[in-house]
Every structure is written in structure tokens, then in C-alpha cells.
Amino acid sequence: MLTGAIAVNAPKTLLLSLSIAAALSACQKPADKPASANVPVKPEAVPYTLDEAKLPPVNRFLPADLDTSKSACTDFSGYVNGKWLAANTIPGDRSSWGAFEMLDERSQGVQRQLAEQAAAKTNTSGVDKLIGDFWASGMDAAKINAQGLTPLKPQLDAIAGLDSQAKIADYLRASAAKGENILFGFGPEADFKDSTMNIAYAAQGGLGLPDRGYYFDKDKADKLAAYQAHVAKVLALSGVPAADAATQAKDVVAFETRLAKVSKSSEEMSRDVSLFYNPISPADADKLTPNFPWTKFFESQGVAVPKMFSLAIPAFHQEVSKMLADVPAAQWQSYLRFHTIDSAAPYLSDDFANERFDFYGKTLRGQKEMKERGKRVLGTIEEEAGEAMGQLYVKVAFPAESKARMEQLVKHLSDALKVRIEHLTWMSDATKKKALDKWASFTPKIGYPDKWRSWEGLATQRDSYIGNVLAANAFNYQWAMGKIGKPVDKTEWGMSPQTVNAYYNPSQNEIVFPAAILQPPFFDPKADDATNFGGIGAVIGHEMTHGYDDQGSRFGPTGNFENWWTSEDAKGFGGRTDKLIAQFSGYLAGPGQHVNGKLTLGENIADLGGINTAYDAMLKATEGKPDPKTDGLTRDQRFFLNWGTVWRRNFTPQELNVRLTTDPHAPANFRAIGAPSNMPAFAQAFGCKAGDPMMRSGDQQVVIW
């Protein structure tokens, strides 16, 4: 994945497959939950229109943005973006602002027009009805506020009756079957040893804070205290007397702290993908977790008990089993009650939605104000039925010529990567052959899926916003369960077309570029080759290089988890990546705040390989063509300047703190300088000299792919 979009306290119903894919590439973000089947793409029966005048502008590189008081060789990020960042403060409803966020605003502008048109139509069906119902019910604030907590009464009544270990275990199974699994991740993903088949994966979960370190690190003690206060407020809002709510909040934090002790950190999960794969028979898993038998869990989910599944992080699940035996039922009730309400808060009355924002948005991330209701409803549609919206989006916002141009660029980047691999001096011929085999099997996907998901069977209406959310959760979860034990559908996408991002999926060895990212500053049909190669070209190279980063390189050409390296080459690769870890660990994001070079390693490898490959591709594509300066800038300068433009981004201090702990992407300003500083072409383009910060040489220079 290209950007560091992260979700703090994401709904626990997210499928495990999405979490695994994210760790595999350190890049993919949670996608819309899948629907019931794939259907051929057909022309939309009901026409939609788009008013371009109502959309926010795109963000292009402009020579006037350059801060000529700074040196490109000393402070390249400041040289390219300093003036722009100073003039573009973070909007109140955001915790970061830059090129990605501006395109996201534009994408939301398109989606809003589509949602409003869908809601205005009558006697509709299919995608039109689905989007229209979600929008209309989500925008009906009066009805949502009048309903209060009533829509959750069945769940809360059930939790109130959990007075034994057996009842708690039954509830966990029943709620999971409705897509409401609070405690752990569970879902389908390709078998690491046979990427053509889906198996079930179970993973850790259950925490309300972004990472296990929030429960133990001294520098995060204030956030833990604020979280406990948030838990108490949510329980009090639900009707628990204030004194009891405070006591129960302590119990909830103690419960989660126990889970955190046996959980892996964000760094561990992102830098060792093998942690997700622990194949085991259900019978043997039952022995590890006797109070929560997996044979019974599979049956309760409507899934045939398989011969094998992956019980990732077994110590976590063993602890859950122990907690079913020794944690009092009342403490379980407090934990389940809080998370049931807190996860549903975005779809409930204002008092619950506001309290959730006050902690997760304002306290944890420094966001000054809540997004207006329309943006929040669009976020819900993205989460629950993103590809349905995408089916409308591409018909009004993605020209066919963009896809054709992208196909050409992918070919340029692919050819350049092949040449780079062939000319590696540090890799043996044996390993190089395997690397080229993997290169030959890359599958690009551009714009949108060849087949759309069908939503037949999902019943939505306009009487209850959260009713639609819960219906979609159950519908999508049960469809996902139907994938277990079945062949992988390689036509599926992990991002919706309107997502401003891109990703690499190692189990399918595919690179994917949604329609919404194919706009400036990444891709501009009106721009010259240098600008596009420095933008979307580097993105293409980035995603390809993920196939050869520290985790992607553990998967072979067919997507299977395998070792295709000679021991000597693996050692040499490790030595080179260690230098990249050291480079980024040396960057200071703030006083005493070092970038975590290990956590961000995969993305930094992809940036380094991506921009080098894009530069080579640009040279090949423009070979023999004159280089007339544009606005006084050479071709090479425009290439690097657009790369820098992509990484213009401000963060609130709180958002930056969260990202330094959990995000496998380095802060944007360091991505702007990290990879180019290792390239002699950059130094030559801007006349940098030995000793300049942007000219790493000798032992300091990092060369990998």
C-alpha cells in the first residue's frame, strides 16, 4: 500500500483476510466487505451525472510552490513542500492533510453527488437501492437521535444475561456469526502453502487502543487513562450509574491489558508475516483452547469443520480460553457491553457518536472537529458496500483513456524492473532466476474490477441506519464464510475504485491501482513524461518492489510462502536492508521521536526500488528525445520534484504519535527525502556535493533492487 491510512479502533467485524494482506505487503488497507457473488460488468440502467464544478481541485506540482530560500540538497522536502504546507493548514475535521487527503476529498465529492442522486430515485433495486438506502437512512439525524440506543437492545439484553462460562462462549460464537466478532479476527485468506485455495485464519484482536504498547509504555500512560475515562463515559451514557461505570471501566482496561500481554506489537506483525500462519487441525486447536473449542466455532459459523486452519498467535487464543474460566462473568459483561456500544457509536445518536469522536478523534489523533454527517455516511458506505459505490463512481469519474495510458506505464515500469534485476551485482544467478520468474508472473489491475460483486440478498431500508449496517455486516460475513475451503477468486479486488491508494497482494502476486489515485499529482494526462514517471510511475514501481521487500520476498511466483533465496543472497539482502533500517531510524520526527526503521522497512524498500525503477523507465521512454526545460526545470528535476510533491503532508502531533507506533509507512517528509538521497541521479540533477544531506555515498548509500 502506498499511503499510511490507518484506522484506530476499527470495527472488530473486519475480516481477518484484510489484516493478513495488509501485513503481507505492509500496504493494503481494509477494503469493503465482500458481497455474494461476482457478476459481469453491465452498463448502468439508471443514468448518473457529475457536476465537476462542485468538486475540490486536485493538487499539482507548481514551480511557484518551490521555496528557493532552501536548498534541494539540504532540505529537499522543505524546498518542494515548505511553502505549500505553511499555506495549507490541517482542516478541523482531519488529523492530516496533503496530496492524498485532497484527492480523498475530491473522491468524496464525486461519491456524494452519486449518493444524493441514488437516494432521490424511486422504485430502484440493486446498487441504486443499496446506496440510496444507506445515504437516506444515514442522513436522517432526527430519526437516528430519536432511536437512541434502542437498536442495540437485543444485543445488550443478551449480554446482560451472560452469567456463566458456557453462555459467554455461546454468545461469542453467535455474535461472530452475525459479523460482530469483538474479540478476535476470523476470516478466509489464501493458504500460505497453496495460494489457489482459501483457508480460515484466526488472529488476535480485542483491544480498544491502537497497539499493545499503549497498555504498558510510560509515554502513553495519559492515553490509557483517557481511554479508561472514555469507557466509563460510554457505559454511563448507556444507563450504567456513574460510580458503577467507573468501576466497570477499570475492569474493561484490566481485561484488555491481559489480552495485550499476549498480543504481538504492530512492528512484530508487520515485519514477520509468518506469525499469521500456524496451521493446525481443529481437534488439536481444541486442546489448546478447551474452553473455546474450534470445532464448535466452525459449526456455529455455518462452516464445515476443515482438516486444517491457521490459529495465528496461539498464545492469544490460549489466554482467551483461560479468561473464559477465570474472569468473572460481570467483567466479561462490561467488556462486551462497552465494545458493542462503542463499535456501533458512529451509527447511533449524537451523544454516542460525539463521545467516540472525543476520544478516538480529538484525544488520540488531535482532530479538532468531527466530520460532517455526509462525510461520515460516505465512510460507512465505503466500509459496508464500497464496491457498490465504485460501480457508480467509475462511470462518471474514470475516463477510458486513463486506463489505456496506465497500461502503457505499467509496461514501461515492468520492463525497467526486469533490467534492474538482471543487472544486480550482489545477487547470484540462481536467485536472480527465481526473481525473474516472479517478475514474469506479476498481474496488474487498473481502475476497477472486470466483474462486480452482486448484492442480491442484502435487504436494506430507510427506517434504521444502524439496521442497514448490521444487515450488511451479517451479509458480508456469511458470504466470506462461504469462501473457506473454496478456490481463490483472482478477479476480486481488495480496494474500491474510489480509494486513493494502491497495493500489492503477494498471495496473488498482483499490483492494483484503483481509479481514484489516477489523478494529479500522481497521474496527469496533461503533464509531461517526467512528471508522470515521478508520480504514478514511482507508485507502480513501489507496488512491484513490494514483491521483493523483506516480507513480499518470502513469497514465490505462484504466491506460495517459500524460500527462493540462496543462503548467501539472503544474507546479502539482510545486510542491505539493515542499512535502510539504520537510515530511517536516524530520522527525528520530533524531540526524542525517532522513526522506527524496522516497522517502516517494507515501505522504505518499496520506495527505494520504486523510484529507481521509475527513473530508469523514464530514461528509456524519453531516450533520444530532447529535454527542453519547462519553467526552467530539467526533465530529471521535474521527475524528482513531482515525487516530492506526492509526499507533502501535515500531521497533528497526536496523529504523528499514533503513526510512529503503528504505521508501517514513515512520515511523509522522510519518504520525500529517504529514497532520492540514495540516488546519484538526484545529486546530479540538483548539483549536490559530497557531505550534503541529500547525497548519501559510500557505506551510507543504500542500494537494493
Side-chain angles (χ1 to χ4, degrees):
M1 187 167 64
L2 187 68
T3 181
I6 57 177
V8 176
N9 189 243
K12 304 303 187 298
T13 54
L14 288 176
L15 299 183
L16 174 69
S17 60
L18 303 174
S19 300
I20 292 176
L24 297 186
S25 67
C27 198
Q28 188 172 346
K29 81 165 191 171
D32 58 293
K33 299 177 186 123
S36 61
N38 284 338
V39 295
V41 175
K42 296 179 180 178
E44 182 57 56
V46 181
Y48 286 82
T49 59
L50 181 63
D51 185 349
E52 287 276 354
K54 293 182 179 179
L55 299 180
V58 296
N59 183 246
R60 289 180 169 88
F61 163 72
L62 297 173
D65 288 338
L66 296 178
D67 185 351
T68 54
S69 70
K70 295 182 173 66
S71 166
C73 299
T74 302
D75 180 9
F76 182 63
S77 180
Y79 175 70
V80 181
N81 298 323
K83 285 173 62 176
W84 188 93
L85 293 173
N88 290 269
T89 56
I90 301 171
D93 67 349
R94 293 271 187 174
S95 56
S96 63
W97 187 248
F100 284 93
E101 288 83 357
M102 290 186 73
L103 279 186
D104 183 58
E105 287 284 327
R106 185 174 174 85
S107 175
Q108 287 193 17
V110 174
Q111 294 172 61
R112 182 163 193 143
Q113 291 186 41
L114 295 170
E116 289 174 343
Q117 291 174 55
K121 297 178 187 299
T122 58
N123 299 320
T124 56
S125 60
V127 168
D128 302 299
K129 184 178 188 301
L130 178 61
I131 300 302
D133 285 351
F134 259 106
W135 180 257
S137 63
M139 293 301 290
D140 194 344
K143 184 174 291 185
I144 293 170
N145 283 320
Q147 291 172 342
L149 201 58
T150 303
L152 290 186
K153 190 174 186 301
Q155 292 97 315
L156 298 179
D157 286 348
I159 291 170
L162 303 179
D163 56 7
S164 69
Q165 171 193 317
K167 288 183 180 179
I168 294 169
D170 282 343
Y171 177 83
L172 293 174
R173 286 186 284 266
S175 60
K178 294 185 291 184
E180 299 168 18
N181 191 346
I182 290 169
L183 196 55
F184 60 88
F186 184 79
E189 180 56 71
D191 186 344
F192 274 28
K193 296 299 184 181
D194 180 6
S195 63
T196 66
M197 295 295 295
N198 285 310
I199 64 169
Y201 287 75
Q204 66 184 35
L207 304 182
L209 287 168
D211 184 81
R212 70 180 303 275
Y214 279 78
Y215 296 86
F216 310 112
D217 297 347
K218 291 182 180 179
D219 65 341
K220 298 178 178 63
D222 61 328
K223 296 300 187 290
L224 181 61
Y227 176 59
Q228 184 169 308
H230 166 65
V231 176
K233 289 178 184 176
V234 170
L235 292 172
L237 284 172
S238 74
V240 177
D244 293 341
T247 299
Q248 291 181 30
K250 292 180 182 178
D251 287 343
V252 171
V253 171
F255 187 103
E256 293 185 21
T257 301
R258 188 166 168 180
L259 292 178
K261 287 180 180 177
V262 292
S263 299
K264 299 293 184 181
S265 68
S266 299
E267 178 184 319
E268 290 172 311
M269 295 303 291
S270 66
R271 300 277 58 85
D272 186 2
V273 71
S274 68
L275 290 173
F276 282 101
Y277 195 63
N278 179 45
I280 190 172
S281 71
D284 286 342
D286 288 351
K287 296 174 185 176
L288 291 176
T289 61
N291 298 316
F292 195 78
W294 289 93
T295 48
K296 195 170 183 179
F297 181 79
F298 276 102
E299 292 167 354
S300 69
Q301 307 307 293
V303 178
V305 179
K307 293 182 179 179
M308 177 274 286
F309 75 109
S310 178
L311 187 67
I313 323 300
F316 173 89
H317 299 285
Q318 287 178 292
E319 189 68 11
V320 170
S321 178
K322 293 175 184 176
M323 292 171 74
L324 281 166
D326 62 32
V327 170
Q331 190 173 355
W332 272 98
Q333 289 175 324
S334 299
Y335 172 79
L336 293 171
R337 182 180 182 88
F338 163 69
H339 278 291
T340 297
I341 299 169
D342 197 49
S343 294
Y347 326 113
L348 296 174
S349 53
D350 288 344
D351 47 355
F352 291 100
N354 290 338
E355 171 53 34
R356 181 177 170 88
F357 166 75
D358 281 346
F359 176 69
Y360 288 109
K362 188 176 295 183
T363 300
L364 200 58
R365 309 180 79 166
Q367 188 175 323
K368 295 179 181 179
E369 60 192 54
M370 185 186 294
K371 290 183 178 181
E372 55 88 16
R373 179 170 291 277
K375 289 183 178 180
R376 286 182 278 143
V377 175
L378 290 174
T380 301
I381 294 174
E382 173 65 24
E383 183 180 314
E384 302 294 345
E387 194 169 294
M389 175 63 82
Q391 194 168 339
L392 306 181
Y393 177 92
V394 298
K395 293 186 180 301
V396 299
F398 186 59
E401 54 267 26
S402 292
K403 187 166 186 173
R405 180 81 180 274
M406 270 295 291
E407 289 171 347
Q408 294 177 344
L409 285 166
V410 169
K411 178 65 166 59
H412 284 310
L413 268 293
S414 179
D415 291 346
L417 178 60
K418 181 175 186 286
V419 173
R420 290 192 70 82
I421 294 172
E422 289 172 338
H423 288 83
L424 289 176
T425 58
W426 58 271
M427 180 178 282
S428 69
D429 289 341
T431 304
K432 196 177 291 185
K433 182 181 183 304
K434 296 288 187 180
L436 289 169
D437 288 343
K438 185 168 188 176
W439 166 86
S441 66
F442 272 123
T443 300
K445 294 180 176 179
I446 300 168
Y448 55 91
D450 291 331
K451 293 189 293 184
W452 296 111
R453 290 167 177 160
S454 167
W455 301 91
E456 185 178 356
L458 173 57
T460 58
Q461 34 70 40
R462 301 195 177 188
D463 292 334
S464 174
Y465 183 37
I466 192 171
N468 288 334
V469 172
L470 294 175
N473 281 347
F475 175 82
N476 291 321
Y477 180 79
Q478 286 303 317
W479 179 83
M481 293 301 97
K483 296 167 69 174
I484 295 173
K486 303 290 178 57
V488 170
D489 184 350
K490 296 185 177 182
T491 68
E492 289 182 356
W493 279 48
M495 284 181 181
S496 67
Q498 63 271 22
T499 301
V500 184
N501 216 326
Y503 70 92
Y504 168 73
N505 180 355
S507 65
Q508 304 306 316
N509 201 30
E510 62 186 10
I511 51 174
V512 187
F513 308 97
I517 200 173
L518 304 180
Q519 302 178 77
F522 300 96
F523 174 72
D524 187 350
K526 299 178 181 178
D528 64 316
D529 283 340
T531 300
N532 279 320
F533 275 105
I536 198 64
V539 173
I540 297 168
H542 173 102
E543 300 306 340
M544 287 180 173
T545 306
H546 266 312
Y548 304 98
D549 70 20
D550 63 313
Q551 299 304 308
S553 62
R554 302 173 75 178
F555 292 79
T558 64
N560 288 343
F561 191 65
E562 60 186 75
N563 181 15
W564 47 271
W565 295 72
T566 66
S567 57
E568 191 64 27
D569 288 338
K571 182 179 178 181
F573 180 64
R576 290 168 185 271
T577 59
D578 283 347
K579 290 171 66 175
L580 196 58
I581 291 173
Q583 176 184 342
F584 276 82
S585 294
Y587 292 139
L588 270 174
Q593 293 180 300
H594 281 272
V595 175
N596 186 334
K598 187 173 182 181
L599 171 64
T600 60
L601 177 60
E603 296 298 324
N604 298 333
I605 293 172
D607 279 353
L608 182 61
I611 191 172
N612 271 285
T613 303
Y615 181 75
D616 288 355
M618 181 195 72
L619 292 183
K620 182 67 175 177
T622 59
E623 189 175 22
K625 297 180 182 179
D627 178 17
K629 286 188 176 182
T630 302
D631 298 314
L633 301 169
T634 67
R635 181 182 290 147
D636 282 13
Q637 287 173 334
R638 295 195 303 279
F639 172 89
F640 288 110
L641 290 170
N642 201 44
W643 163 266
T645 301
V646 165
W647 300 117
R648 53 177 49 159
R649 201 174 200 181
N650 275 320
F651 296 102
T652 64
Q654 298 91 331
E655 176 75 17
L656 183 60
N657 287 339
V658 172
R659 288 176 180 270
L660 289 172
T661 300
T662 63
D663 192 354
H665 306 76
N669 57 313
F670 300 117
R671 297 184 73 176
I673 66 174
S677 67
N678 288 297
M679 297 176 65
F682 177 90
Q684 184 174 353
F686 293 97
C688 303
K689 299 182 174 67
D692 287 339
M694 284 300 294
M695 185 175 177
R696 300 173 67 87
S697 57
D699 290 340
Q700 282 194 327
Q701 185 184 13
V702 184
V703 180
I704 305 178
W705 294 104

